[in-house]
Amino acid sequence: MKPAEQFLNKKMHRTGKKDVTRFRTIWISDLHLGTSGCQASKLLEFLRATESETLYLVGDIIDGWQLKRRWYWDQTHNNVVQTVLKKAKKGTNVIFVPGNHDESIRQFIDLDFGGIKVRDELVHTTADGRRMLVLHGDRFDGVIACAKWLAYVGDSLYTVILKFNQIFNNWRARAGLPYWSLSQYLKLKVKNAVSYITQFEDALADEARRKGVDGIICGHIHKPEIRDINGILYCNDGDWVESLSALVEDAQGQLSLVTWHDIMHSVVSTKSVVDQDQDHEFDAEMDTGVSVVL
């Protein structure tokens, strides 16, 4: 059994008809709503299948860069926004930390809208007392800091790669083959990309050390990760374009990475157990005439 599955088996809350996985805190980032690359339908399933006391939106939630070039916004993207607003209305503490793709929201830092708090960065204290700095991370990206025009070019190339990915993986799906990500492959195989990611992670860890906190939680580079960097816990919650991942905290303060597949698999598994239990209850009723809860 995978670590994520073991973690989720302990966190699943069974409610019969509606099963949700409950966490103390959930972090998601790099949704890129407003682009065809956003996996909005899977994100919507994830949001509906999970609950938390606090939900962090760690930047690049809406892709303003792409929307300026070409408008793309379907009903599923609307549903994602409405689901987040509904969570806030029902008592979830929703905190939005803007990134570079939704940088226009930064003019509203320290304001609240519809129950959603907009913050530049902040410190989250886990249930076990660790202090984690939460920010998007683009300020520590040398390309964006020193040559923003190059970041725009890179974003355009990334969009082309994602479109190729969609076509290629549609063919793979028809052939019965699993999803394969070209951009993730390039990130892991191209020496300069690996060096860039390492430098980014080290810079974030240095910032956490400078701020005197125990760790840092960010997004931006679309690479989910939890690792120790010289005594600092570095966490990246991934993205909802390719990784379909989130960082979660349980009631004891344990931090873990989960994916859409992890969550949906755990929900399906629990529903099957509930169905079996209901079948046993029905059989008991037929045998004794008394409702027995197993």
Side-chain angles (χ1 to χ4, degrees), residues 72-285:
Y72 181 92
W73 193 275
D74 66 18
Q75 184 59 45
T76 312
H77 293 220
N78 259 351
N79 293 343
V80 168
V81 174
Q82 290 166 1
T83 299
V84 171
L85 289 171
K86 185 176 180 181
K87 284 178 178 288
K89 185 177 181 180
K90 288 191 171 184
T92 301
N93 183 28
V94 180
I95 302 172
F96 182 11
V97 179
N100 50 301
H101 283 262
D102 43 26
E103 59 191 350
S104 60
I105 305 298
R106 284 175 170 158
Q107 63 185 304
F108 303 114
I109 292 295
D110 294 329
L111 298 179
D112 299 354
F113 294 95
I116 297 178
K117 303 178 180 69
V118 182
R119 303 292 184 265
D120 184 38
E121 63 177 56
L122 67 162
V123 174
H124 172 86
T125 303
T126 62
D128 57 5
R130 288 175 293 175
R131 299 173 68 245
M132 306 292 293
L133 181 64
V134 181
L135 45 74
H136 180 64
D138 57 298
R139 290 190 289 112
F140 300 89
D141 183 335
V143 174
I144 290 177
C146 302
K148 196 169 184 179
W149 66 270
L150 187 57
Y152 281 112
V153 172
D155 182 60
S156 297
L157 291 174
Y158 183 59
T159 300
V160 171
I161 291 173
L162 288 178
K163 287 183 177 179
F164 171 79
N165 250 5
Q166 289 175 341
I167 296 170
F168 181 63
N169 279 288
N170 285 339
W171 174 83
R172 286 178 64 87
R174 287 195 294 271
L177 298 172
Y179 179 85
W180 181 81
S181 170
L182 173 61
S183 65
Q184 292 287 0
Y185 174 82
L186 292 174
K187 284 179 186 177
L188 295 175
K189 296 299 181 181
V190 177
K191 184 177 180 180
N192 287 342
V194 173
S195 176
Y196 160 79
I197 291 171
T198 301
Q199 290 173 6
F200 176 85
E201 294 174 343
D202 288 344
L204 268 292
D206 288 343
E207 176 69 2
R209 191 174 294 106
R210 189 181 70 82
K211 290 282 182 79
V213 295
D214 300 298
I216 193 158
I217 297 169
C218 63
H220 187 58
I221 59 172
H222 295 203
K223 186 179 182 296
E225 184 73 81
I226 297 179
R227 70 184 183 97
D228 181 272
I229 302 178
N230 298 323
I232 296 294
L233 183 61
Y234 169 86
C235 303
N236 192 304
D237 57 25
D239 65 278
W240 285 85
V241 177
E242 298 173 278
S243 306
L244 309 186
S245 61
L247 181 72
V248 296
E249 176 196 3
D250 70 8
Q252 288 72 46
Q254 179 183 349
L255 296 173
S256 299
L257 286 168
V258 298
T259 65
W260 165 83
H261 180 270
D262 295 330
I263 294 295
M264 301 315 297
H265 178 74
S266 65
V267 169
V268 170
S269 297
T270 302
K271 283 185 176 180
S272 66
V273 170
V274 171
D275 290 341
Q276 290 173 10
D277 286 351
Q278 290 173 343
D279 289 341
H280 287 312
E281 292 172 19
F282 178 76
D283 292 341
E285 290 176 8

Side-chain angles (χ1 to χ4, degrees), residues 25-36:
T25 315
I26 297 175
W27 291 264
I28 56 175
S29 74
D30 300 272
L31 315 185
H32 292 278
L33 293 168
T35 69
S36 59

